[in-house]
Amino acid sequence: MLTTTLLLAFAASGGDGAPMFTEDEWIILRSMSPAILMPDTTNAYEKNENAALLGQHIFFDKRFSSNKEVSCATCHEPDKYFTDGKQIAVGTGQTTRNSPTVLNAAHQRWFFWDGRTDTLWGQPIQTMEHPAEMNIPRKEIAEIIEIDSTLGPLWIKTFGNMDESDIDTIASNVAKSLAAYITKLDSSHAPFDDFVAGDKNAIPASSQRGLKYFIGDGGCLRCHFGPWITDGAFHSVGVGPLDGGALKDAGRAGAIDKLKIAQFTSGGIHSDNPNGMRATISKHIAKRREDWGSFRTPSLRNVAKTAPYMHAGQLATLSDVLEHYSTLENFVSADHHRETILEPLNLNEQQKTDLVAFLESLTAPLPDEKLLKAPE
Ligand code: HEC
Ligand code: HEC
C-alpha cells in the first residue's frame, strides 16, 4: 500500500523531481506561449523590406551622431541580445536609464521604461535628437541619407524623392524604417515554448519547479503574464536609485505629459492609423497617483541574457533580482504606500535556483545572422 502511494506520488511528480502541473495550471501555461507579434497598423512600412533594410543600415551607422562615435548598436549590441551590459546607457553623454533590448520590442504597447511613447516608430527620433544619446538634429539625418550612395537610392525606392521642405515627414519615415528593422528582430521561441507545446524534456526539472512557483505561490504572474510575460503596465517594485537615497525618477508619472505633447504618436498626423485602437487608448490615458516612481513591467523573454536589471541597472544578476523579491529589504517606497501585492517571499536557496532556471528557459536563439550587422 505504502509502496503504491510512493510510486503514485513519484509518477505524479513527473519523475526526476519534475513537478506535476494541474489542468488549471496548464491553462495558464498555454496562455504564456507561443509569443506572436501583432501588426502595428500605425506604421504602413512595418512589413516593407526596403524600409527594413534602410533601418538596418541606419541602426549600425555611427555617422548618425554628433561625435560620429555612437550608433543605435552602441547601446543595443547584437551579441549582447541588443543591450549594452551597462547599468545606465552612455552615448554622446550620460543617460539615466538602462538600455533595454530591442529584440521583440515590437510587441509592446508602451515604449521606454516609462512608456512615454505609444508606438515603436515614436521612439527613434527622440533618441537620435537627445543630447545624451546621439545628439543629431533631423535635418542633418536627412542630409546624410540623401547624399549617401547606398542610402539615397534606397530611400527613393522606399519613400520616393525626399522633400526637404517637409522635414517632419522625413523624420517619421526614418523612424518607421528603424521600426521596420526592429520588427524583424524576433527572438521569442525558447525551450519554455517547446515545453508548453508538449515536449516534457525541453526544460530541466529545476526550470519546471521554478515555473510552477512562478505561476503559483511566487505571485510573479500578477504582473508577468501572457506570451510576453508582462502585463505591459506600470508598477513600482521598490528598487531604489543607483546612488541610494529617495527615488528621483518619476517614471510613468513623468511620461504622461510627454506622451500628450509627443510629435510622433499613434494619434498624430504622421500615424498611418490615427483613429485606431492604439490612438483611442492613448487619447484617454490619465495620470494616476500610483504612477509616480513606477516603471513598465519588462518582458522576461531572454532576460537571462540582458543583465544588469531594472530601469537603472541597479541589480547585477538574476539572483540579485530574486533576492530583492525575497526580502524586499531595500524597498524604497514612492509615496509610503508600497504596492500592496508585494510581500517578501522568503525564498530558500532551492527556490531561487529553480526560479533562475525557469528564467533561463525563456532564452531564445538570436534572429538570423544577417540581421545582426550592417547590411552588406
Ligand atoms: C546611448 C545609448 C542608446 C542609443 C545610442 C540608442 N538607445 Fe535605444 N534605448 C536606450 C535606453 C537607455 C533606452 C531606455 C530609455 C528610457 O526608458 O528612458 C532605450 C530604449 C529604446 C527602445 C524602447 C525599447 C522598449 O523596450 O521600450 C527602442 C525601440 C530603442 N531604444 C531603439 C533604438 C534605436 C532605433 C536607436 C538608434 C536610432 C537607439 N535605440 C539608440 C539607449 C540607447
Ligand atoms: C507588482 C508587479 C510585479 C510582480 C508581482 C513581479 N514583478 Fe518582476 N518586475 C516588475 C516591474 C515593474 C519591473 C521593473 C521595475 C523597475 O525597473 O524598477 C520588474 C522587473 C523584473 C525583472 C528584471 C527584468 C529586467 O529586464 O530588468 C525580473 C527578472 C523580474 N521582474 C522577475 C520577477 C519574478 C521572478 C517575480 C516573482 C517572484 C516578479 N518579477 C514579480 C513587476 C512585477
Side-chain angles (χ1 to χ4, degrees):
M1 185 60 199
L2 185 65
T3 340
T4 329
T5 321
L6 277 177
L7 270 176
L8 278 175
F10 186 71
S13 81
D16 296 336
M20 235 272 294
F21 290 92
T22 64
E23 204 29 59
D24 282 348
E25 286 172 327
W26 270 107
I27 291 171
I28 294 172
L29 295 192
R30 284 191 287 267
S31 74
M32 295 166 77
S33 175
I36 294 161
L37 288 180
M38 291 300 177
D40 173 11
T41 52
T42 68
N43 179 1
Y45 296 93
E46 185 185 41
K47 295 277 179 240
N48 182 304
E49 288 297 330
N50 288 326
L53 190 61
L54 186 64
Q56 187 176 350
H57 275 289
I58 298 172
F59 194 90
F60 291 96
D61 194 333
K62 293 184 175 167
R63 287 179 297 168
F64 295 101
S65 61
S66 59
N67 62 7
K68 310 297 169 203
E69 284 172 13
V70 182
S71 71
C72 309
T74 303
C75 304
H76 303 288
E77 292 177 42
D79 58 357
K80 294 197 173 112
Y81 273 64
F82 289 84
T83 60
D84 55 14
K86 298 192 173 84
Q87 288 187 309
I88 46 183
V90 185
T92 43
Q94 177 76 61
T95 75
T96 56
R97 299 222 177 114
N98 174 260
S99 303
T101 183
V102 298
L103 290 170
N104 307 324
H107 82 83
Q108 291 167 154
R109 177 63 189 83
W110 305 106
F111 299 84
F112 294 121
W113 282 99
D114 55 9
R116 65 183 176 279
T117 300
D118 72 347
T119 62
L120 183 56
W121 59 276
Q123 172 278 331
I125 302 301
Q126 281 193 30
T127 300
M128 294 176 98
E129 292 188 332
H130 196 289
E133 294 184 72
M134 298 169 84
N135 195 27
I136 182 169
R138 57 192 73 178
K139 199 167 160 297
E140 217 176 296
I141 300 172
E143 281 162 10
I144 295 173
I145 295 173
E146 194 175 20
I147 59 169
D148 186 84
S149 61
T150 306
L151 305 188
L154 192 50
W155 181 279
I156 293 170
K157 222 156 92 182
T158 315
F159 301 112
N161 281 326
M162 214 181 243
D163 172 11
E164 287 95 345
S165 69
D166 187 1
I167 191 68
D168 291 342
T169 297
I170 295 176
S172 81
N173 284 341
V174 169
K176 286 175 184 174
S177 306
L178 281 157
Y181 165 60
I182 291 173
T183 303
K184 297 183 89 159
L185 299 176
D186 180 334
S187 167
S188 58
H189 189 98
F192 165 71
D193 300 285
D194 292 330
F195 176 74
V196 176
D199 178 357
K200 298 281 171 293
N201 300 318
I203 63 175
S206 173
S207 301
Q208 296 182 33
R209 287 192 301 267
L211 170 58
K212 193 169 168 91
Y213 188 74
F214 186 92
I215 65 170
D217 293 344
C220 313
L221 204 61
R222 284 173 295 189
C223 302
H224 297 279
F225 61 77
W228 298 101
I229 324 202
T230 166
D231 57 1
F234 301 84
H235 305 274
S236 168
V237 295
V239 182
L242 274 174
D243 56 3
L247 294 179
K248 296 176 213 51
D249 193 330
R252 184 60 172 161
I256 306 280
D257 293 333
K258 291 181 190 148
L259 188 68
K260 297 272 181 210
I261 57 162
Q263 184 180 21
F264 299 125
T265 58
S266 58
I269 58 166
H270 297 282
S271 169
D272 297 310
N273 188 9
N275 300 311
M277 194 60 159
R278 250 178 211 269
T280 308
I281 295 172
S282 293
K283 202 156 78 190
H284 297 288
I285 201 92
K287 254 189 245 185
R288 304 166 313 156
R289 184 167 160 268
E290 56 277 27
D291 285 338
W292 209 96
S294 72
F295 295 89
R296 192 190 59 203
T297 310
S299 167
L300 297 181
R301 288 191 173 269
N302 300 315
V303 72
K305 296 285 188 186
T306 61
Y309 301 106
M310 305 298 177
H311 64 275
Q314 299 98 315
L315 303 176
T317 64
L318 285 177
S319 299
D320 294 340
V321 174
L322 295 175
E323 193 57 31
H324 173 74
Y325 284 119
S326 181
T327 65
L328 297 182
E329 207 168 77
N330 300 312
F331 193 98
V332 181
S333 185
D335 64 352
H336 311 293
H337 87 291
R338 162 189 295 191
E339 277 245 14
T340 41
I341 55 175
L342 277 187
E343 292 294 334
L345 294 171
N346 301 314
L347 301 168
N348 61 38
E349 288 312 310
Q350 187 66 55
Q351 287 169 319
K352 283 185 215 164
T353 310
D354 291 345
L355 276 169
V356 170
F358 161 60
L359 294 171
E360 284 169 345
S361 78
L362 294 169
T363 301
L366 282 168
D368 192 298
E369 213 181 299
K370 287 206 258 329
L371 293 168
L372 307 183
K373 51 184 194 298
E376 263 134 44

